[in-house]
Amino acid sequence: MPVLMDFHCIEALLELPEFRVIHLEMRPQQLELHLERRETSIVCPRCQTCCSRVKESRPRCIRDLPILEHPVMLWLHLRRFACRGCQHRPWETSPTFGERVKWTERLYHQVRAEFLRGCPGNERARRYGLSARTLFRWTFARSRGGRPRKLGRAIGIDEYARRKGHHYNTLIVDLDSGQPIATFKGRRAEDVIAWCNSRPQAERDRVEVVVGDMSKAYFAAVKAVFGEQVHVIDRFPVVQQAVEALDEVLRSVQRQLDPEEAKALKKLRKRWLKSADQLHVDALIARYEWRRRFPALRETLNWVQDLRKWFDRKYDKPAREALVKLIERASQSVQEPLQRIAGTLTRWFDPIIRYIRCRYSNGLTEGFNNKIKLIQRMASGLRNAHKRRKRILAWCGAP
């Protein structure tokens, strides 16, 4: 009875309702569990009759997650039945495990996630009863050995810091497939041009859209390799600069107020750009009063809200005319932040307009940058550039 209870507990831990535990062996290096399917018969695939007579059986070994810190090896005893109707001898199959599987999916995903988070490889290998080579192969299977993937139709490009303020790398992402293409050292124009020229001409000809921010180095590299008509600036960097201009006006207004009013104005900062239907009545009244008291704040806020609405346009020609009017309004304003952003929009006019046609965003690349920061924090001391690149491509690849 105690052994039966132990088997029930192990079956509950395994979470494999298709199988039952028939034997348990405690080895010095691992725990071996012998399993058998609960069904005592199968349907003959030829004559569709029920087969219950067992002719023979064969074991299959599959590695699974540890139980109480003991590595686990599952021995599946698959049976071969004899059909009385057509004399066929079919083997039973398991929908839980494939024909050639040697480990469970949950073991694969957990080992890969822990290794990518920076856990020591040798310690992980000992815990799960695997070799260090197997652990490395599982982890970087999707990174393709650190080799760059092929360029797609639309790519995103951005930088990330290996050491903030000192050393930077470039990340290139396929925006259609949602996977990183490559990461390489440097963020200068010549670094990007050298990497792009290392790719085959057929890959470079495939690129139609390159989404980036307002980096002169990246713009020069994209222009030299792909031409002028592919560079696109999405809404995020443009709206970000507009919000920074609004914050500068807010700070100038706060300097004119006493500490209590300045504190009250600062609390309303998150509500300035919300639409009227997103605010309750008190917030609407407070925002109206601040705008009435300070014309500079009212002018800047109206302009920023109009710029955000501009990105919702669908047609190229009306969007071009509307952006020209926005630039004229900002350049004719007496507010210095608006004049500066008018100059910025004028310099990057064509790449911003192309966003209306392409509608690609670089948000995926920014998300990978956040993942890279996390990887570098968890794997502190990972100085080998090749291993860092493989870790990034494996972690950021599609699951």
Side-chain angles (χ1 to χ4, degrees), residues 72-105:
V72 171
M73 179 70 76
L74 303 179
W75 289 91
L76 307 184
H77 293 267
L78 300 179
R79 296 162 294 185
R80 191 178 190 182
F81 291 83
C83 179
R84 297 181 183 274
C86 63
Q87 305 303 317
H88 182 53
R89 297 178 178 179
W91 286 95
E92 64 179 350
T93 58
S94 169
T96 306
F97 303 106
E99 293 183 2
R100 303 179 184 273
V101 178
K102 294 185 178 181
W103 54 80
T104 59
E105 283 292 319

PDB file of all heavy atoms in Angstrom, residues 72-105:
ATOM      1  N   VAL A  72      15.448  12.670 -13.799  1.00  0.00           N
ATOM      2  CA  VAL A  72      14.440  11.655 -14.062  1.00  0.00           C
ATOM      3  C   VAL A  72      14.597  11.129 -15.481  1.00  0.00           C
ATOM      4  O   VAL A  72      14.722  11.905 -16.437  1.00  0.00           O
ATOM      5  CB  VAL A  72      13.020  12.217 -13.858  1.00  0.00           C
ATOM      6  CG1 VAL A  72      11.969  11.233 -14.341  1.00  0.00           C
ATOM      7  CG2 VAL A  72      12.798  12.552 -12.387  1.00  0.00           C
ATOM      8  N   MET A  73      14.586   9.799 -15.614  1.00  0.00           N
ATOM      9  CA  MET A  73      14.546   9.132 -16.906  1.00  0.00           C
ATOM     10  C   MET A  73      13.265   8.318 -16.968  1.00  0.00           C
ATOM     11  O   MET A  73      13.015   7.470 -16.101  1.00  0.00           O
ATOM     12  CB  MET A  73      15.767   8.222 -17.100  1.00  0.00           C
ATOM     13  CG  MET A  73      15.765   7.487 -18.424  1.00  0.00           C
ATOM     14  SD  MET A  73      16.041   8.583 -19.826  1.00  0.00           S
ATOM     15  CE  MET A  73      17.818   8.845 -19.640  1.00  0.00           C
ATOM     16  N   LEU A  74      12.440   8.604 -17.977  1.00  0.00           N
ATOM     17  CA  LEU A  74      11.182   7.880 -18.160  1.00  0.00           C
ATOM     18  C   LEU A  74      11.409   6.726 -19.133  1.00  0.00           C
ATOM     19  O   LEU A  74      11.929   6.921 -20.235  1.00  0.00           O
ATOM     20  CB  LEU A  74      10.100   8.814 -18.714  1.00  0.00           C
ATOM     21  CG  LEU A  74       9.781  10.078 -17.914  1.00  0.00           C
ATOM     22  CD1 LEU A  74       8.709  10.873 -18.623  1.00  0.00           C
ATOM     23  CD2 LEU A  74       9.336   9.727 -16.499  1.00  0.00           C
ATOM     24  N   TRP A  75      11.009   5.524 -18.719  1.00  0.00           N
ATOM     25  CA  TRP A  75      11.051   4.360 -19.596  1.00  0.00           C
ATOM     26  C   TRP A  75       9.614   4.030 -19.991  1.00  0.00           C
ATOM     27  O   TRP A  75       8.825   3.560 -19.172  1.00  0.00           O
ATOM     28  CB  TRP A  75      11.707   3.169 -18.901  1.00  0.00           C
ATOM     29  CG  TRP A  75      13.184   3.329 -18.715  1.00  0.00           C
ATOM     30  CD1 TRP A  75      13.832   3.868 -17.653  1.00  0.00           C
ATOM     31  CD2 TRP A  75      14.194   2.949 -19.654  1.00  0.00           C
ATOM     32  NE1 TRP A  75      15.184   3.859 -17.842  1.00  0.00           N
ATOM     33  CE2 TRP A  75      15.450   3.293 -19.078  1.00  0.00           C
ATOM     34  CE3 TRP A  75      14.185   2.347 -20.914  1.00  0.00           C
ATOM     35  CZ2 TRP A  75      16.654   3.067 -19.722  1.00  0.00           C
ATOM     36  CZ3 TRP A  75      15.389   2.122 -21.563  1.00  0.00           C
ATOM     37  CH2 TRP A  75      16.605   2.471 -20.965  1.00  0.00           C
ATOM     38  N   LEU A  76       9.283   4.302 -21.246  1.00  0.00           N
ATOM     39  CA  LEU A  76       7.943   4.029 -21.754  1.00  0.00           C
ATOM     40  C   LEU A  76       7.928   2.623 -22.352  1.00  0.00           C
ATOM     41  O   LEU A  76       8.637   2.338 -23.329  1.00  0.00           O
ATOM     42  CB  LEU A  76       7.540   5.050 -22.818  1.00  0.00           C
ATOM     43  CG  LEU A  76       7.659   6.531 -22.444  1.00  0.00           C
ATOM     44  CD1 LEU A  76       7.136   7.386 -23.579  1.00  0.00           C
ATOM     45  CD2 LEU A  76       6.911   6.836 -21.161  1.00  0.00           C
ATOM     46  N   HIS A  77       7.107   1.754 -21.788  1.00  0.00           N
ATOM     47  CA  HIS A  77       7.002   0.388 -22.292  1.00  0.00           C
ATOM     48  C   HIS A  77       5.827   0.337 -23.272  1.00  0.00           C
ATOM     49  O   HIS A  77       4.661   0.220 -22.871  1.00  0.00           O
ATOM     50  CB  HIS A  77       6.811  -0.594 -21.134  1.00  0.00           C
ATOM     51  CG  HIS A  77       8.005  -0.697 -20.241  1.00  0.00           C
ATOM     52  ND1 HIS A  77       8.998  -1.637 -20.421  1.00  0.00           N
ATOM     53  CD2 HIS A  77       8.390   0.052 -19.162  1.00  0.00           C
ATOM     54  CE1 HIS A  77       9.932  -1.491 -19.500  1.00  0.00           C
ATOM     55  NE2 HIS A  77       9.582  -0.469 -18.715  1.00  0.00           N
ATOM     56  N   LEU A  78       6.155   0.455 -24.561  1.00  0.00           N
ATOM     57  CA  LEU A  78       5.139   0.423 -25.608  1.00  0.00           C
ATOM     58  C   LEU A  78       4.906  -1.018 -26.044  1.00  0.00           C
ATOM     59  O   LEU A  78       5.856  -1.775 -26.292  1.00  0.00           O
ATOM     60  CB  LEU A  78       5.589   1.275 -26.802  1.00  0.00           C
ATOM     61  CG  LEU A  78       5.839   2.757 -26.487  1.00  0.00           C
ATOM     62  CD1 LEU A  78       6.303   3.485 -27.723  1.00  0.00           C
ATOM     63  CD2 LEU A  78       4.582   3.403 -25.928  1.00  0.00           C
ATOM     64  N   ARG A  79       3.644  -1.385 -26.137  1.00  0.00           N
ATOM     65  CA  ARG A  79       3.272  -2.771 -26.407  1.00  0.00           C
ATOM     66  C   ARG A  79       2.860  -2.974 -27.863  1.00  0.00           C
ATOM     67  O   ARG A  79       2.380  -2.054 -28.524  1.00  0.00           O
ATOM     68  CB  ARG A  79       2.118  -3.179 -25.486  1.00  0.00           C
ATOM     69  CG  ARG A  79       2.476  -3.168 -24.015  1.00  0.00           C
ATOM     70  CD  ARG A  79       1.251  -3.142 -23.141  1.00  0.00           C
ATOM     71  NE  ARG A  79       0.520  -1.893 -23.288  1.00  0.00           N
ATOM     72  CZ  ARG A  79      -0.558  -1.563 -22.562  1.00  0.00           C
ATOM     73  NH1 ARG A  79      -1.008  -2.419 -21.645  1.00  0.00           N
ATOM     74  NH2 ARG A  79      -1.175  -0.425 -22.760  1.00  0.00           N
ATOM     75  N   ARG A  80       3.060  -4.199 -28.300  1.00  0.00           N
ATOM     76  CA  ARG A  80       2.620  -4.611 -29.627  1.00  0.00           C
ATOM     77  C   ARG A  80       1.492  -5.632 -29.472  1.00  0.00           C
ATOM     78  O   ARG A  80       1.643  -6.633 -28.766  1.00  0.00           O
ATOM     79  CB  ARG A  80       3.777  -5.238 -30.406  1.00  0.00           C
ATOM     80  CG  ARG A  80       3.475  -5.451 -31.882  1.00  0.00           C
ATOM     81  CD  ARG A  80       4.688  -6.019 -32.600  1.00  0.00           C
ATOM     82  NE  ARG A  80       4.503  -6.010 -34.036  1.00  0.00           N
ATOM     83  CZ  ARG A  80       5.394  -6.485 -34.905  1.00  0.00           C
ATOM     84  NH1 ARG A  80       6.540  -7.017 -34.457  1.00  0.00           N
ATOM     85  NH2 ARG A  80       5.158  -6.447 -36.193  1.00  0.00           N
ATOM     86  N   PHE A  81       0.379  -5.334 -30.129  1.00  0.00           N
ATOM     87  CA  PHE A  81      -0.808  -6.174 -29.976  1.00  0.00           C
ATOM     88  C   PHE A  81      -0.973  -7.079 -31.197  1.00  0.00           C
ATOM     89  O   PHE A  81      -0.482  -6.777 -32.293  1.00  0.00           O
ATOM     90  CB  PHE A  81      -2.056  -5.303 -29.806  1.00  0.00           C
ATOM     91  CG  PHE A  81      -2.096  -4.565 -28.498  1.00  0.00           C
ATOM     92  CD1 PHE A  81      -1.418  -3.356 -28.344  1.00  0.00           C
ATOM     93  CD2 PHE A  81      -2.792  -5.080 -27.420  1.00  0.00           C
ATOM     94  CE1 PHE A  81      -1.457  -2.672 -27.140  1.00  0.00           C
ATOM     95  CE2 PHE A  81      -2.836  -4.401 -26.214  1.00  0.00           C
ATOM     96  CZ  PHE A  81      -2.164  -3.195 -26.072  1.00  0.00           C
ATOM     97  N   ALA A  82      -1.680  -8.168 -30.992  1.00  0.00           N
ATOM     98  CA  ALA A  82      -1.997  -9.102 -32.077  1.00  0.00           C
ATOM     99  C   ALA A  82      -3.486  -9.043 -32.364  1.00  0.00           C
ATOM    100  O   ALA A  82      -4.314  -9.246 -31.459  1.00  0.00           O
ATOM    101  CB  ALA A  82      -1.589 -10.528 -31.694  1.00  0.00           C
ATOM    102  N   CYS A  83      -3.831  -8.752 -33.601  1.00  0.00           N
ATOM    103  CA  CYS A  83      -5.241  -8.650 -33.999  1.00  0.00           C
ATOM    104  C   CYS A  83      -5.739 -10.043 -34.402  1.00  0.00           C
ATOM    105  O   CYS A  83      -5.154 -10.703 -35.278  1.00  0.00           O
ATOM    106  CB  CYS A  83      -5.379  -7.669 -35.158  1.00  0.00           C
ATOM    107  SG  CYS A  83      -7.079  -7.508 -35.747  1.00  0.00           S
ATOM    108  N   ARG A  84      -6.814 -10.473 -33.807  1.00  0.00           N
ATOM    109  CA  ARG A  84      -7.373 -11.798 -34.116  1.00  0.00           C
ATOM    110  C   ARG A  84      -8.097 -11.798 -35.457  1.00  0.00           C
ATOM    111  O   ARG A  84      -8.240 -12.859 -36.094  1.00  0.00           O
ATOM    112  CB  ARG A  84      -8.334 -12.234 -33.005  1.00  0.00           C
ATOM    113  CG  ARG A  84      -7.678 -12.403 -31.642  1.00  0.00           C
ATOM    114  CD  ARG A  84      -8.689 -12.859 -30.610  1.00  0.00           C
ATOM    115  NE  ARG A  84      -8.088 -12.963 -29.284  1.00  0.00           N
ATOM    116  CZ  ARG A  84      -7.453 -14.054 -28.839  1.00  0.00           C
ATOM    117  NH1 ARG A  84      -7.324 -15.107 -29.632  1.00  0.00           N
ATOM    118  NH2 ARG A  84      -6.940 -14.065 -27.627  1.00  0.00           N
ATOM    119  N   GLY A  85      -8.545 -10.634 -35.905  1.00  0.00           N
ATOM    120  CA  GLY A  85      -9.329 -10.604 -37.128  1.00  0.00           C
ATOM    121  C   GLY A  85      -8.487 -10.683 -38.391  1.00  0.00           C
ATOM    122  O   GLY A  85      -8.742 -11.496 -39.280  1.00  0.00           O
ATOM    123  N   CYS A  86      -7.449  -9.822 -38.498  1.00  0.00           N
ATOM    124  CA  CYS A  86      -6.642  -9.759 -39.731  1.00  0.00           C
ATOM    125  C   CYS A  86      -5.198 -10.190 -39.515  1.00  0.00           C
ATOM    126  O   CYS A  86      -4.376 -10.039 -40.426  1.00  0.00           O
ATOM    127  CB  CYS A  86      -6.690  -8.356 -40.316  1.00  0.00           C
ATOM    128  SG  CYS A  86      -5.969  -7.095 -39.238  1.00  0.00           S
ATOM    129  N   GLN A  87      -4.879 -10.677 -38.329  1.00  0.00           N
ATOM    130  CA  GLN A  87      -3.526 -11.158 -38.009  1.00  0.00           C
ATOM    131  C   GLN A  87      -2.466 -10.044 -38.067  1.00  0.00           C
ATOM    132  O   GLN A  87      -1.275 -10.321 -38.118  1.00  0.00           O
ATOM    133  CB  GLN A  87      -3.110 -12.300 -38.963  1.00  0.00           C
ATOM    134  CG  GLN A  87      -4.075 -13.466 -38.998  1.00  0.00           C
ATOM    135  CD  GLN A  87      -4.291 -14.071 -37.616  1.00  0.00           C
ATOM    136  OE1 GLN A  87      -3.344 -14.263 -36.856  1.00  0.00           O
ATOM    137  NE2 GLN A  87      -5.548 -14.391 -37.300  1.00  0.00           N
ATOM    138  N   HIS A  88      -2.934  -8.785 -38.069  1.00  0.00           N
ATOM    139  CA  HIS A  88      -1.981  -7.667 -38.049  1.00  0.00           C
ATOM    140  C   HIS A  88      -1.461  -7.460 -36.634  1.00  0.00           C
ATOM    141  O   HIS A  88      -2.152  -7.755 -35.650  1.00  0.00           O
ATOM    142  CB  HIS A  88      -2.671  -6.399 -38.567  1.00  0.00           C
ATOM    143  CG  HIS A  88      -1.765  -5.208 -38.618  1.00  0.00           C
ATOM    144  ND1 HIS A  88      -0.551  -5.225 -39.250  1.00  0.00           N
ATOM    145  CD2 HIS A  88      -1.906  -3.940 -38.107  1.00  0.00           C
ATOM    146  CE1 HIS A  88       0.031  -4.037 -39.140  1.00  0.00           C
ATOM    147  NE2 HIS A  88      -0.781  -3.249 -38.448  1.00  0.00           N
ATOM    148  N   ARG A  89      -0.226  -6.973 -36.526  1.00  0.00           N
ATOM    149  CA  ARG A  89       0.390  -6.753 -35.214  1.00  0.00           C
ATOM    150  C   ARG A  89       0.784  -5.278 -35.062  1.00  0.00           C
ATOM    151  O   ARG A  89       1.936  -4.894 -35.278  1.00  0.00           O
ATOM    152  CB  ARG A  89       1.618  -7.651 -35.050  1.00  0.00           C
ATOM    153  CG  ARG A  89       1.294  -9.135 -35.065  1.00  0.00           C
ATOM    154  CD  ARG A  89       2.531  -9.971 -34.944  1.00  0.00           C
ATOM    155  NE  ARG A  89       2.218 -11.402 -34.913  1.00  0.00           N
ATOM    156  CZ  ARG A  89       3.118 -12.370 -34.836  1.00  0.00           C
ATOM    157  NH1 ARG A  89       4.421 -12.047 -34.784  1.00  0.00           N
ATOM    158  NH2 ARG A  89       2.745 -13.634 -34.820  1.00  0.00           N
ATOM    159  N   PRO A  90      -0.143  -4.434 -34.704  1.00  0.00           N
ATOM    160  CA  PRO A  90       0.154  -2.994 -34.596  1.00  0.00           C
ATOM    161  C   PRO A  90       0.811  -2.647 -33.266  1.00  0.00           C
ATOM    162  O   PRO A  90       0.523  -3.232 -32.218  1.00  0.00           O
ATOM    163  CB  PRO A  90      -1.219  -2.343 -34.720  1.00  0.00           C
ATOM    164  CG  PRO A  90      -2.152  -3.367 -34.145  1.00  0.00           C
ATOM    165  CD  PRO A  90      -1.568  -4.718 -34.492  1.00  0.00           C
ATOM    166  N   TRP A  91       1.707  -1.657 -33.318  1.00  0.00           N
ATOM    167  CA  TRP A  91       2.292  -1.093 -32.109  1.00  0.00           C
ATOM    168  C   TRP A  91       1.384   0.025 -31.601  1.00  0.00           C
ATOM    169  O   TRP A  91       0.777   0.764 -32.382  1.00  0.00           O
ATOM    170  CB  TRP A  91       3.675  -0.511 -32.386  1.00  0.00           C
ATOM    171  CG  TRP A  91       4.757  -1.523 -32.583  1.00  0.00           C
ATOM    172  CD1 TRP A  91       5.214  -2.023 -33.756  1.00  0.00           C
ATOM    173  CD2 TRP A  91       5.526  -2.147 -31.554  1.00  0.00           C
ATOM    174  NE1 TRP A  91       6.215  -2.931 -33.564  1.00  0.00           N
ATOM    175  CE2 TRP A  91       6.437  -3.029 -32.193  1.00  0.00           C
ATOM    176  CE3 TRP A  91       5.543  -2.077 -30.168  1.00  0.00           C
ATOM    177  CZ2 TRP A  91       7.348  -3.812 -31.506  1.00  0.00           C
ATOM    178  CZ3 TRP A  91       6.459  -2.851 -29.475  1.00  0.00           C
ATOM    179  CH2 TRP A  91       7.337  -3.704 -30.133  1.00  0.00           C
ATOM    180  N   GLU A  92       1.312   0.157 -30.297  1.00  0.00           N
ATOM    181  CA  GLU A  92       0.571   1.288 -29.739  1.00  0.00           C
ATOM    182  C   GLU A  92       1.414   2.554 -29.844  1.00  0.00           C
ATOM    183  O   GLU A  92       2.640   2.509 -29.775  1.00  0.00           O
ATOM    184  CB  GLU A  92       0.186   1.014 -28.285  1.00  0.00           C
ATOM    185  CG  GLU A  92       1.349   0.870 -27.328  1.00  0.00           C
ATOM    186  CD  GLU A  92       0.898   0.613 -25.905  1.00  0.00           C
ATOM    187  OE1 GLU A  92      -0.304   0.746 -25.646  1.00  0.00           O
ATOM    188  OE2 GLU A  92       1.742   0.275 -25.064  1.00  0.00           O
ATOM    189  N   THR A  93       0.756   3.668 -30.043  1.00  0.00           N
ATOM    190  CA  THR A  93       1.413   4.972 -30.161  1.00  0.00           C
ATOM    191  C   THR A  93       0.923   5.891 -29.056  1.00  0.00           C
ATOM    192  O   THR A  93      -0.147   5.680 -28.475  1.00  0.00           O
ATOM    193  CB  THR A  93       1.135   5.602 -31.526  1.00  0.00           C
ATOM    194  OG1 THR A  93      -0.293   5.743 -31.702  1.00  0.00           O
ATOM    195  CG2 THR A  93       1.708   4.755 -32.650  1.00  0.00           C
ATOM    196  N   SER A  94       1.712   6.914 -28.802  1.00  0.00           N
ATOM    197  CA  SER A  94       1.376   7.867 -27.739  1.00  0.00           C
ATOM    198  C   SER A  94       1.195   9.257 -28.334  1.00  0.00           C
ATOM    199  O   SER A  94       2.103   9.777 -28.989  1.00  0.00           O
ATOM    200  CB  SER A  94       2.479   7.905 -26.678  1.00  0.00           C
ATOM    201  OG  SER A  94       2.294   8.988 -25.802  1.00  0.00           O
ATOM    202  N   PRO A  95       0.021   9.883 -28.125  1.00  0.00           N
ATOM    203  CA  PRO A  95      -0.142  11.268 -28.594  1.00  0.00           C
ATOM    204  C   PRO A  95       0.676  12.273 -27.787  1.00  0.00           C
ATOM    205  O   PRO A  95       0.913  13.395 -28.236  1.00  0.00           O
ATOM    206  CB  PRO A  95      -1.642  11.520 -28.429  1.00  0.00           C
ATOM    207  CG  PRO A  95      -2.089  10.558 -27.380  1.00  0.00           C
ATOM    208  CD  PRO A  95      -1.218   9.356 -27.521  1.00  0.00           C
ATOM    209  N   THR A  96       1.116  11.876 -26.604  1.00  0.00           N
ATOM    210  CA  THR A  96       1.900  12.787 -25.754  1.00  0.00           C
ATOM    211  C   THR A  96       3.315  12.949 -26.279  1.00  0.00           C
ATOM    212  O   THR A  96       3.870  14.053 -26.268  1.00  0.00           O
ATOM    213  CB  THR A  96       1.940  12.276 -24.310  1.00  0.00           C
ATOM    214  OG1 THR A  96       0.607  12.057 -23.842  1.00  0.00           O
ATOM    215  CG2 THR A  96       2.639  13.276 -23.404  1.00  0.00           C
ATOM    216  N   PHE A  97       3.918  11.862 -26.739  1.00  0.00           N
ATOM    217  CA  PHE A  97       5.308  11.889 -27.200  1.00  0.00           C
ATOM    218  C   PHE A  97       5.369  11.450 -28.659  1.00  0.00           C
ATOM    219  O   PHE A  97       4.660  10.530 -29.075  1.00  0.00           O
ATOM    220  CB  PHE A  97       6.190  10.960 -26.352  1.00  0.00           C
ATOM    221  CG  PHE A  97       6.162  11.262 -24.887  1.00  0.00           C
ATOM    222  CD1 PHE A  97       5.474  10.445 -24.011  1.00  0.00           C
ATOM    223  CD2 PHE A  97       6.818  12.373 -24.389  1.00  0.00           C
ATOM    224  CE1 PHE A  97       5.439  10.720 -22.656  1.00  0.00           C
ATOM    225  CE2 PHE A  97       6.791  12.655 -23.039  1.00  0.00           C
ATOM    226  CZ  PHE A  97       6.102  11.832 -22.165  1.00  0.00           C
ATOM    227  N   GLY A  98       6.229  12.110 -29.430  1.00  0.00           N
ATOM    228  CA  GLY A  98       6.440  11.720 -30.808  1.00  0.00           C
ATOM    229  C   GLY A  98       7.230  10.435 -30.916  1.00  0.00           C
ATOM    230  O   GLY A  98       7.677   9.853 -29.913  1.00  0.00           O
ATOM    231  N   GLU A  99       7.460   9.993 -32.151  1.00  0.00           N
ATOM    232  CA  GLU A  99       8.121   8.712 -32.360  1.00  0.00           C
ATOM    233  C   GLU A  99       9.604   8.757 -32.019  1.00  0.00           C
ATOM    234  O   GLU A  99      10.168   7.777 -31.560  1.00  0.00           O
ATOM    235  CB  GLU A  99       7.944   8.265 -33.818  1.00  0.00           C
ATOM    236  CG  GLU A  99       6.494   7.932 -34.181  1.00  0.00           C
ATOM    237  CD  GLU A  99       6.379   7.429 -35.599  1.00  0.00           C
ATOM    238  OE1 GLU A  99       7.437   7.314 -36.275  1.00  0.00           O
ATOM    239  OE2 GLU A  99       5.257   7.142 -36.036  1.00  0.00           O
ATOM    240  N   ARG A 100      10.255   9.902 -32.262  1.00  0.00           N
ATOM    241  CA  ARG A 100      11.705   9.971 -32.096  1.00  0.00           C
ATOM    242  C   ARG A 100      12.138  10.903 -30.955  1.00  0.00           C
ATOM    243  O   ARG A 100      13.282  11.323 -30.901  1.00  0.00           O
ATOM    244  CB  ARG A 100      12.360  10.436 -33.400  1.00  0.00           C
ATOM    245  CG  ARG A 100      12.019   9.548 -34.584  1.00  0.00           C
ATOM    246  CD  ARG A 100      12.660  10.059 -35.858  1.00  0.00           C
ATOM    247  NE  ARG A 100      12.260   9.257 -36.992  1.00  0.00           N
ATOM    248  CZ  ARG A 100      12.857   8.145 -37.394  1.00  0.00           C
ATOM    249  NH1 ARG A 100      13.912   7.705 -36.727  1.00  0.00           N
ATOM    250  NH2 ARG A 100      12.437   7.480 -38.448  1.00  0.00           N
ATOM    251  N   VAL A 101      11.212  11.266 -30.087  1.00  0.00           N
ATOM    252  CA  VAL A 101      11.510  12.217 -29.023  1.00  0.00           C
ATOM    253  C   VAL A 101      12.351  11.549 -27.949  1.00  0.00           C
ATOM    254  O   VAL A 101      12.082  10.411 -27.541  1.00  0.00           O
ATOM    255  CB  VAL A 101      10.208  12.765 -28.414  1.00  0.00           C
ATOM    256  CG1 VAL A 101      10.517  13.723 -27.271  1.00  0.00           C
ATOM    257  CG2 VAL A 101       9.403  13.482 -29.468  1.00  0.00           C
ATOM    258  N   LYS A 102      13.379  12.253 -27.464  1.00  0.00           N
ATOM    259  CA  LYS A 102      14.236  11.730 -26.400  1.00  0.00           C
ATOM    260  C   LYS A 102      14.167  12.581 -25.130  1.00  0.00           C
ATOM    261  O   LYS A 102      14.876  12.300 -24.171  1.00  0.00           O
ATOM    262  CB  LYS A 102      15.684  11.652 -26.879  1.00  0.00           C
ATOM    263  CG  LYS A 102      15.890  10.641 -28.001  1.00  0.00           C
ATOM    264  CD  LYS A 102      17.355  10.512 -28.360  1.00  0.00           C
ATOM    265  CE  LYS A 102      17.543   9.463 -29.455  1.00  0.00           C
ATOM    266  NZ  LYS A 102      18.985   9.298 -29.823  1.00  0.00           N
ATOM    267  N   TRP A 103      13.342  13.618 -25.145  1.00  0.00           N
ATOM    268  CA  TRP A 103      13.163  14.438 -23.957  1.00  0.00           C
ATOM    269  C   TRP A 103      11.794  15.100 -24.038  1.00  0.00           C
ATOM    270  O   TRP A 103      11.216  15.250 -25.116  1.00  0.00           O
ATOM    271  CB  TRP A 103      14.261  15.501 -23.830  1.00  0.00           C
ATOM    272  CG  TRP A 103      14.400  16.352 -25.061  1.00  0.00           C
ATOM    273  CD1 TRP A 103      13.637  17.424 -25.445  1.00  0.00           C
ATOM    274  CD2 TRP A 103      15.365  16.167 -26.108  1.00  0.00           C
ATOM    275  NE1 TRP A 103      14.057  17.926 -26.630  1.00  0.00           N
ATOM    276  CE2 TRP A 103      15.120  17.178 -27.069  1.00  0.00           C
ATOM    277  CE3 TRP A 103      16.402  15.270 -26.325  1.00  0.00           C
ATOM    278  CZ2 TRP A 103      15.885  17.310 -28.229  1.00  0.00           C
ATOM    279  CZ3 TRP A 103      17.155  15.392 -27.469  1.00  0.00           C
ATOM    280  CH2 TRP A 103      16.900  16.403 -28.412  1.00  0.00           C
ATOM    281  N   THR A 104      11.272  15.517 -22.905  1.00  0.00           N
ATOM    282  CA  THR A 104       9.972  16.170 -22.876  1.00  0.00           C
ATOM    283  C   THR A 104      10.121  17.643 -23.238  1.00  0.00           C
ATOM    284  O   THR A 104      11.176  18.246 -23.046  1.00  0.00           O
ATOM    285  CB  THR A 104       9.327  16.044 -21.486  1.00  0.00           C
ATOM    286  OG1 THR A 104      10.192  16.652 -20.514  1.00  0.00           O
ATOM    287  CG2 THR A 104       9.118  14.592 -21.125  1.00  0.00           C
ATOM    288  N   GLU A 105       9.036  18.216 -23.750  1.00  0.00           N
ATOM    289  CA  GLU A 105       9.051  19.625 -24.130  1.00  0.00           C
ATOM    290  C   GLU A 105       9.271  20.527 -22.916  1.00  0.00           C
ATOM    291  O   GLU A 105       9.951  21.543 -23.007  1.00  0.00           O
ATOM    292  CB  GLU A 105       7.743  19.994 -24.832  1.00  0.00           C
ATOM    293  CG  GLU A 105       7.651  19.534 -26.271  1.00  0.00           C
ATOM    294  CD  GLU A 105       8.621  20.286 -27.167  1.00  0.00           C
ATOM    295  OE1 GLU A 105       8.767  21.498 -27.003  1.00  0.00           O
ATOM    296  OE2 GLU A 105       9.250  19.629 -28.019  1.00  0.00           O
TER     297      GLU A 105
END
